[in-house]
Amino acid sequence: MAKIKILVGTTYGTSQEVAEDCAAQLKALGHDASVLRQPAYDEVVSDAPQVLLVCSATIGQGEVPENLLPLYLELNDRFPLMPNAGFALIARGDSSYENFAEGGRQVADLLRELQLRELVPPLFLDACETMDPEAEVDAWIQKLAEVL
Ligand SMILES: Cc1cc2nc3c(=O)[nH]c(=O)nc-3n(C[C@H](O)[C@H](O)[C@H](O)COP(=O)(O)O)c2cc1C
């Protein structure tokens, strides 16, 4: 059983729904999954083995959504190395914008610098293509679950 913290970055709530869907599936597979809408530094940084699942949209001109920004900035400032942790990224965006899914990409880049191990390739969800990505998310979670 893995301990999975799902870090949500959202402005309009879609990514929160995706995160809740992921949590439900991971729990059904026997994992301990929690959704953190306002993730605090101390909740996220730990020496114990754990998985961070980033589920973030992009806002502004390729920016991290406001609710996830404080954590992103604090991690960047304090730079806690977490070699015992793994992570995976679901990045929502809209390819009609110049910086497609850049918010999620920025968070993932930082986690790589903090030495977290990337467990599976990112899932990019394009609002331009589909508003209802449930099937894609379900298939991706199955792949993630295989390496937990
Ligand atoms: C003002 C605004 C700016 C946005 N900027 C970007 C962007 O730079 N890159 C991108 O990929 N998507 C961008 N988006 C699209 C959102 O990331 C996309 O609609 C996403 O599904 C919203 O998810 P949320 O409901 O979790 O906030 C923007 C949307 C809005 C309304």
Side-chain angles (χ1 to χ4, degrees):
M1 184 199 75
K3 189 167 179 59
I4 303 154
K5 293 171 189 163
I6 305 178
L7 311 181
V8 182
T10 189
T11 308
Y12 304 103
T14 333
S15 305
Q16 171 93 24
E17 285 170 25
V18 173
E20 303 284 357
D21 178 25
C22 292
Q25 281 200 64
L26 290 165
K27 281 183 195 165
L29 292 166
H31 298 290
D32 171 5
S34 52
V35 176
L36 306 180
R37 170 83 183 240
Q38 301 283 344
Y41 182 87
D42 291 338
E43 272 180 298
V44 169
V45 174
S46 157
D47 282 343
Q50 61 167 343
V51 172
L52 302 182
L53 171 50
V54 178
C55 185
S56 183
T58 294
I59 197 68
Q61 295 176 329
E63 284 144 36
V64 177
E66 249 177 57
N67 71 301
L68 190 54
L69 195 56
L71 175 71
Y72 174 81
L73 295 174
E74 197 166 355
L75 287 173
N76 205 28
D77 256 20
R78 295 171 69 174
F79 222 75
L81 299 183
M82 289 188 274
N84 293 326
F87 85 96
L89 168 70
I90 298 178
R92 280 191 67 88
D94 183 326
S95 58
S96 63
Y97 287 86
E98 212 170 291
N99 304 297
F100 174 62
E102 191 57 34
R105 291 180 210 267
Q106 280 183 48
V107 179
D109 285 346
L110 176 57
L111 295 182
R112 286 185 200 104
E113 288 179 45
L114 297 178
Q115 298 182 1
L116 283 86
R117 201 162 39 94
E118 189 161 14
L119 299 171
V120 287
L123 173 65
F124 291 102
L125 300 173
D126 188 350
C128 216
E129 306 247 310
T130 171
M131 284 308 287
D132 180 19
E134 212 178 305
E136 270 177 85
V137 173
D138 289 359
W140 185 86
I141 284 286
Q142 293 300 325
K143 278 194 231 156
L144 174 64
E146 282 169 22
V147 297
L148 291 176

